[in-house]
Amino acid sequence: MQTKNKSNGHGETLTAKDFATDQDVRWCPGCGDYSILKQIQTILPSIKVPRENIVFISGIGCSSRFPYYMNTYGMHSIHGRAGAIVSGLKAVNPELDIWMITGDGDSLSIGGNHLIHLLRRNFNLNIVLFNNQIYGLTKGQYSPTSPKGQISKSTPFGSVDRPFNPITLALGSEGTFVARAIDRNPVHMREILSAAHDHKGASFIEIYQNCNVFNDGAFEEFTDKSLKDQNTLYLENGKPLLFDNDSKGIILEGFKPVIVDMDSYSPDDCWIHDEEDKIKASILAEFFDYTEERGKLPRPFGVFYKNQRNTYEQVFQDQIDLYRSKREADLDSLLSGNNFWEVK
């Protein structure tokens, strides 16, 4: 079985340009989708998988135009059903290197059920969810990740829904690799995409992606030069949780994260990130909420959690092989046996 980091059997050296098609890229000028497209095209040569073994499958949404721009096999499918398509494709063609491109409207609304079971089954593939907290393709309705109070064309007085948190959803669905990146930090995004691809199992990456037409500035506090240092926390396995140019850290009081001034603490006193600790990953995923007592918690970016367990397609194939070994195929016996019926 071919894994996701299999070397290129053709011996050809590929570049990012080899993964770009001759199609005009049709997103709004300034859209964060351009950055994600560029970073994925940039990392693909390093994974050394032949292009004919790479497949991009998308659903519906602005992000789902992605397969048109990738010089690989691909399919622009229907709303919310990309998860079902990649599941079937990977089950019967486990050698394929599959990327599922989706958005917060595509996979967290009509496609939510498929996403949950895709993660639960742990197919060896990559799920990239573009989160712009709005329905962009259909012109600005609120989405499952829009914050409470969001003014949109479908919520003129403000959304009353509590939004989905994609990271907690992925953790609750038994995802084996759960991470977050942002469109304005391409170097970090490439690191996360490469780590996700190296993982053997279902890799889930949420990418904050600015929709500069219908929801511009949704993630400004994480990208503006004057704001981002105090509002972002970049996770590194085995490293303490430090932010704001290492002037602040985070400690745990029981299960409660607390911000501390590093003038009074050492890095060894801080919470040390462990990618294999699901309980702590769940706490990190909830850094959306804060109180005046503990201060505003920074938003984590990086790998929240990863672990290894059997992939669906491998267990599925093992089962087929086992029962094939127990049965001897005999076409003559089948045709001349007692299992027949008469059509009148």
Side-chain angles (χ1 to χ4, degrees):
M1 171 180 164
Q2 177 185 351
T3 60
K4 288 192 288 188
N5 57 356
K6 183 178 184 293
S7 61
N8 188 335
H10 297 308
E12 59 181 326
T13 301
L14 300 175
T15 68
K17 290 183 178 180
D18 291 312
F19 289 94
T21 67
D22 60 358
Q23 300 294 301
D24 292 333
V25 182
R26 297 185 181 277
W27 286 312
C28 300
C31 176
D33 289 2
Y34 286 96
S35 175
I36 304 172
L37 174 66
K38 176 63 176 176
Q39 306 326 313
I40 290 182
Q41 289 174 336
T42 299
I43 65 113
L44 283 180
S46 65
I47 69 175
K48 300 186 183 303
V49 175
R51 282 182 297 174
E52 62 268 25
N53 280 359
I54 301 175
V55 184
F56 281 82
I57 304 291
S58 65
I60 292 293
C62 294
S63 63
S64 295
R65 298 186 61 81
F66 211 92
Y68 295 130
Y69 310 135
M70 296 302 304
N71 192 17
T72 64
Y73 284 105
M75 178 180 176
H76 186 176
S77 70
I78 58 178
H79 202 197
R81 301 301 186 259
I85 293 169
V86 298
S87 296
L89 186 59
K90 190 66 177 180
V92 298
N93 292 282
E95 76 284 355
L96 294 179
D97 194 82
I98 299 177
W99 296 73
M100 174 176 145
I101 305 296
T102 186
D104 50 303
D106 186 50
S107 271
L108 297 178
S109 55
I110 189 171
N113 183 56
H114 294 297
L115 177 64
I116 289 169
H117 294 292
L118 181 61
L119 289 166
R120 177 178 67 87
R121 289 175 175 133
N122 198 38
F123 285 95
N124 185 27
L125 46 76
N126 311 285
I127 305 160
V128 184
L129 187 143
F130 299 26
N131 182 7
N132 56 22
Q133 298 184 344
I134 203 76
Y135 276 99
L137 185 68
T138 51
K139 308 299 184 282
Q141 299 87 352
Y142 85 116
S143 86
T145 57
S146 295
K148 195 171 182 178
Q150 174 82 45
I151 302 295
S152 75
K153 291 184 178 180
S154 56
T155 54
F157 304 111
S159 169
V160 298
D161 282 357
R162 180 174 176 83
F164 259 137
N165 180 337
I167 298 297
T168 57
L169 180 70
L171 290 170
S173 302
E174 302 297 331
T176 58
F177 182 102
V178 180
R180 178 188 290 137
I182 192 166
D183 57 2
R184 297 290 183 88
N185 191 336
V187 174
H188 180 258
M189 192 198 305
R190 290 196 296 270
E191 293 173 357
I192 295 302
L193 289 167
S194 296
H197 188 273
D198 289 342
H199 176 73
K200 187 176 180 181
S203 302
F204 177 86
I205 314 105
E206 176 194 20
I207 301 181
Y208 283 173
Q209 172 262 320
N210 189 51
C211 175
N212 59 316
V213 174
F214 296 109
N215 200 25
D216 194 26
F219 305 114
E220 187 174 15
E221 62 183 311
F222 312 124
T223 58
D224 185 273
K225 288 184 179 180
S226 65
L227 299 172
K228 64 180 182 180
D229 289 338
Q230 63 198 35
N231 291 314
T232 57
L233 170 66
Y234 282 92
L235 305 171
E236 295 183 70
N237 194 42
K239 299 290 184 65
L241 299 191
L242 303 175
F243 67 104
D244 203 0
N245 296 311
D246 293 348
S247 67
K248 296 177 182 176
I250 297 175
I251 63 172
L252 275 177
E253 293 182 352
F255 291 103
K256 182 175 74 172
V258 176
I259 296 173
V260 297
D261 193 323
M262 292 309 293
D263 287 341
S264 305
Y265 288 80
S266 76
D268 292 338
D269 297 323
C270 294
W271 172 347
I272 305 300
H273 182 48
D274 181 358
E275 293 175 346
E276 297 183 358
D277 190 328
K278 192 172 183 180
I279 293 175
K280 288 185 177 179
S282 299
I283 298 172
L284 283 169
E286 294 292 347
F287 272 29
F288 278 74
D289 300 320
Y290 64 94
T291 64
E292 291 183 4
E293 176 186 345
R294 66 185 184 186
K296 182 177 181 180
L297 293 166
R299 192 65 54 88
F301 294 87
V303 179
F304 286 70
Y305 176 70
K306 68 177 182 180
N307 80 331
Q308 295 292 336
R309 60 182 170 88
N310 291 332
T311 63
Y312 182 94
E313 67 273 16
Q314 184 61 66
V315 176
F316 181 52
Q317 188 60 51
D318 289 345
Q319 185 183 69
I320 292 172
D321 293 342
L322 173 63
Y323 283 93
R324 277 180 174 169
S325 68
K326 292 182 176 182
R327 298 179 60 183
E328 294 185 6
D330 187 339
L331 183 59
D332 289 337
S333 297
L334 179 63
L335 294 176
S336 61
N338 296 322
N339 296 320
F340 61 89
W341 63 91
E342 181 180 355
V343 179
K344 296 182 179 180

